[in-house]
Amino acid sequence: MADPVLNVLAGALRLWIRSQCDSLGSLELVLNGSTWSLLRGRLDGVTLKARDACFQGLPLQSVELCSGPIAVDMKLLSPGQMLVLQQPFQVEGEVTFNGRQLNSALLAEPWRWLGDWMAEQLMGLSPLGALRIDEDLLELQVPVAAQQDPVHRRFRLNAEQGTLCFRPETGDELRTLLPMEPAIRIEQVQLVSGQLALKGQASVTL
């Protein structure tokens, strides 16, 4: 039988997650544990599955996350507050991006800077004109005034040093690492069927 207190808390957290997203399709959120363990300052973990989410202008086709134990302090709750964390907690899982949606996001604010950074660092040109996923390769295109067709180059992606590593398709040039938040660590990268899938872990604070 499901724990009624955890069900109420999970429902409140679902509403909060939706309020933080620009848009969100489906969302499944499960809190693992019991009322007794919660009152003693511990959640056994959280699992989350979402589809068709847009967070701060970044389109996420799917998200699957799970956490380890979470230390909470119910005594410090204030009106309208759901949880007080005693310390950050770890999550791991997978996030998938649709290539066409990612292209649109990198050509508009607030993520235009990232698209232009990729074009400048990987091609020595900017601004970015288009991003395309072709089988297991990432293709960048940059328009050049003196040419009718845009300049394009293709790259292989893998995880290295906790972030995305770009390597030219020909493999005859140095790799480029994407700057990454210290709290996020990318462990696996896959390009397939027009999608970019990232697996990794992160430290979370609320």
Side-chain angles (χ1 to χ4, degrees), residues 22 54-59 101-117 127-128:
D22 305 324
C54 185
F55 179 70
Q56 297 182 355
L58 189 64
Q101 294 177 337
L102 184 59
N103 172 68
S104 297
L106 293 178
L107 297 181
E109 297 298 337
W111 296 100
R112 177 87 216 191
W113 70 270
L114 178 56
D116 291 345
W117 180 92
L128 179 69

Side-chain angles (χ1 to χ4, degrees), residues 121-122 155-156 158-161 163-168 171-178:
Q121 295 296 316
L122 297 174
F155 302 86
R156 301 188 185 279
N158 66 286
E160 190 170 319
Q161 298 182 30
T163 186
L164 287 177
C165 177
F166 299 84
R167 295 181 183 275
D172 57 357
E173 298 181 42
L174 296 177
R175 76 198 195 292
T176 300
L177 299 178
L178 178 70

Side-chain angles (χ1 to χ4, degrees), residues 18 21 23-28 49-54 60-61:
R18 287 189 176 276
C21 295
S23 61
L24 180 59
S26 63
L27 173 64
E28 298 178 22
K49 294 183 180 180
R51 293 192 62 82
D52 301 324
C54 185
L60 310 173
Q61 181 165 298

Side-chain angles (χ1 to χ4, degrees), residues 112-159:
R112 177 87 216 191
W113 70 270
L114 178 56
D116 291 345
W117 180 92
M118 293 170 61
E120 178 66 33
Q121 295 296 316
L122 297 174
M123 301 179 64
L125 299 168
S126 65
L128 179 69
L131 174 149
R132 188 170 69 94
I133 296 175
D134 182 14
E135 298 296 335
D136 61 345
L137 296 170
L138 181 75
E139 180 179 295
L140 300 183
Q141 300 178 7
V142 177
V144 177
Q147 298 182 202
Q148 180 177 0
D149 296 326
V151 176
H152 61 88
R153 294 184 67 187
R154 305 204 299 179
F155 302 86
R156 301 188 185 279
L157 267 62
N158 66 286

